[in-house]
Amino acid sequence: MNKQILVTGGTGFIGSHTVVELQNNGYDVVIVDNLSNSKVEVLDQIKEITGIRPKFEQFDLTDKQKVKEFFKKYSDIEAIIHFAASKAVGESVGKPLMYYNNNLSSLMNIMESMIDCEVSNLVFSSSCTVYGQPDKLPVTEQTPRKEAESPYGNTKVICEDIIRDTIKAYPSLKGIALRYFNPIGAHATAKIGELPLGVPNNLIPFLTQTVAGIRPELSVFGDDYNTEDGSAVRDYIHVVDLAKAHVVAIERLLTGKNKRNCEYFNIGTGNGVSVLEIIKSFERATGEKVPHKIVARRAGDIEKIYADTSFANEELGWKAQSTLDETLLSAWKWQLRIAKM
Ligand code: UD1
């Protein structure tokens, strides 16, 4: 029998790509999602890509009773990948309690059920946001975490701590926190991708919507940073490369290859890329022009961050494969597809 994996937030952007990779690697997947930021049709798209429609339960993980009932019904879950969370940085500043409630209580409910139902393995969606603006680049997993810039960022820091402390108290539990850098792009089939609600906050959906004519122009937030061309630098990783890191993390836990009960990995490419370089790469890859203007810095943005991925490369045997041009082309193909939806 295939091993059964619970993927929370499995109809979302990173979740859906991870479900595809899990199913392609022979895992049975059950998704829990409240569909607050995704569409149920994603399940059909996953079936079109993999031939398998994952099992699906729609409920909110902040509902402890529902979480308990779920684990009673699915008694053969071997591991959990916990994506489900609110993730809009700006919104979290205005609605901190909603962010703390959603992101912390869903994790705590899941971990309580892990203890009650003897499910040992957890992979958690963390973020490079836990490093803030680091003093030294690239960041390794040992780079000290900094006080978070937003309630969203703080939920990632606190969730990492909840996992660490719970694993310490219950040594039968094992966890891996994957600290994502900036996930972008879409599946090569253009059947799944990022579906932002309303005006996108993130760079790539805003850029592709601009080129598609939905937005008049892209604002480049700041050209006076201490970087080569003055625009801010991030480590942009193809979402499929990121999804594959989850399969490797699950395999590591299920085969007992983890070296500690609680581990952390940077999941990025190792390359720092500026906003202006993104525009150039997109234009090169797609042949399209990106209308843009330079505006003031965005409040709360950091100047520069990119990953040292050597620990993930060596320990997980995983490495991001896609080039930036390929990644941006996949994002553009996805934008063209959703224009037709
Ligand atoms: C933020 C979060 C990160 C989260 C990610 C996805 C922080 C510090 N980072 O990343 O944890 O995982 O969102 O939700 O909390 N930019 C423009 N014009 C735009 C939009 C963005 O120039 O219209 C620039 C930004 O200034 C930044 C870069 O593009 O330099 C990337 O921005 P964005 O895609 O929003 O991601 P982050 O802010 O890096």
Side-chain angles (χ1 to χ4, degrees):
M1 228 180 72
N2 292 341
K3 293 190 161 48
Q4 172 128 274
I5 314 293
L6 162 60
V7 180
T8 76
T11 51
F13 174 43
I14 308 174
S16 58
H17 289 83
T18 300
V19 171
V20 165
E21 295 306 317
L22 286 167
Q23 293 192 160
N24 282 344
N25 280 277
Y27 291 101
D28 267 357
V29 173
V30 50
I31 292 175
V32 171
D33 204 303
N34 64 3
L35 299 178
S36 62
N37 195 21
S38 59
K39 298 221 161 82
V40 75
E41 289 78 18
V42 169
L43 301 173
D44 301 324
Q45 303 303 318
I46 293 173
K47 177 161 187 225
E48 281 191 29
I49 298 171
T50 63
I52 304 161
R53 196 173 203 274
K55 285 175 260 194
F56 176 64
E57 299 282 347
Q58 183 182 349
F59 69 90
D60 200 308
L61 291 155
T62 58
D63 185 333
K64 195 192 267 199
Q65 200 46 40
K66 292 240 170 73
V67 175
K68 280 185 190 292
E69 283 162 20
F70 170 86
F71 277 93
K72 247 188 225 149
K73 179 169 170 192
Y74 293 89
S75 56
D76 52 353
I77 287 184
E78 302 215 22
I80 300 161
I81 307 182
H82 181 43
F83 291 107
S86 302
K87 61 167 187 180
V89 177
E91 183 187 47
S92 78
V93 177
K95 297 179 181 166
L97 293 177
M98 180 183 125
Y99 271 68
Y100 287 114
N101 186 43
N102 284 352
N103 295 3
L104 305 189
S105 56
S106 57
L107 173 69
M108 291 192 288
N109 289 342
I110 288 169
M111 292 203 84
E112 265 183 36
S113 281
M114 288 177 74
I115 295 162
D116 291 347
C117 303
E118 299 181 354
V119 179
S120 299
N121 304 302
L122 176 69
V123 175
F124 175 67
S125 289
S126 191
S127 165
C128 67
T129 194
V130 302
Y131 298 118
Q133 175 60 70
D135 299 328
K136 227 176 108 199
L137 287 168
V139 284
T140 72
E141 289 76 0
Q142 270 70 52
T143 298
R145 297 183 319 182
K146 286 215 172 137
E147 195 170 329
E149 298 275 347
S150 68
Y152 157 77
N154 204 24
T155 67
K156 292 295 173 191
V157 173
I158 299 171
C159 282
E160 281 194 356
D161 291 349
I162 290 172
I163 294 169
R164 180 201 59 206
D165 294 345
T166 310
I167 287 176
K168 212 184 213 174
Y170 297 89
S172 64
L173 300 184
K174 297 183 287 180
I176 292 182
L178 299 179
R179 292 174 174 162
Y180 312 151
F181 285 67
N182 286 50
I184 62 167
H187 197 262
T189 59
K191 289 184 190 296
I192 51 172
E194 193 169 5
L195 269 178
L197 294 177
V199 183
N201 292 310
N202 294 119
L203 176 63
I204 303 307
F206 201 102
L207 184 158
T208 57
Q209 288 194 4
T210 303
V211 178
I214 301 166
R215 316 271 158 215
E217 67 190 334
L218 169 72
S219 295
V220 174
F221 296 140
D223 68 347
D224 55 352
Y225 284 109
N226 183 22
T227 59
E228 231 158 77
D229 61 25
S231 63
V233 165
R234 300 284 184 277
D235 183 336
Y236 295 91
I237 175 169
H238 196 303
V239 65
V240 173
D241 282 328
L242 175 60
K244 288 179 176 164
H246 293 78
V247 178
V248 176
I250 284 288
E251 274 161 10
R252 181 176 176 89
L253 291 175
L254 291 179
T255 55
K257 293 213 176 93
N258 55 305
K259 301 236 166 92
R260 293 161 188 252
N261 281 355
C262 191
E263 297 182 312
Y264 307 86
F265 294 98
N266 284 344
I267 305 297
T269 65
N271 302 319
V273 175
S274 74
V275 178
L276 292 171
E277 282 170 335
I278 286 281
I279 293 173
K280 277 193 208 126
S281 171
F282 185 90
E283 291 183 339
R284 188 168 55 232
T286 64
E288 302 284 342
K289 278 264 152 264
V290 182
H292 65 277
K293 62 169 184 228
I294 311 288
V295 302
R297 293 179 181 194
R298 180 171 68 177
D301 267 349
I302 58 163
E303 181 166 275
K304 206 194 272 187
I305 189 163
Y306 53 96
D308 179 331
T309 61
S310 44
F311 187 57
N313 300 156
E314 283 153 29
E315 271 298 314
L316 297 178
W318 167 92
K319 199 173 190 326
Q321 302 292 339
S322 307
T323 65
L324 184 60
D325 284 19
E326 283 163 1
T327 308
L328 291 168
L329 183 59
S330 75
W332 178 233
K333 287 187 177 157
W334 168 246
Q335 179 65 55
L336 293 174
R337 158 109 205 304
I338 45 181
K340 291 189 209 129
M341 275 172 20

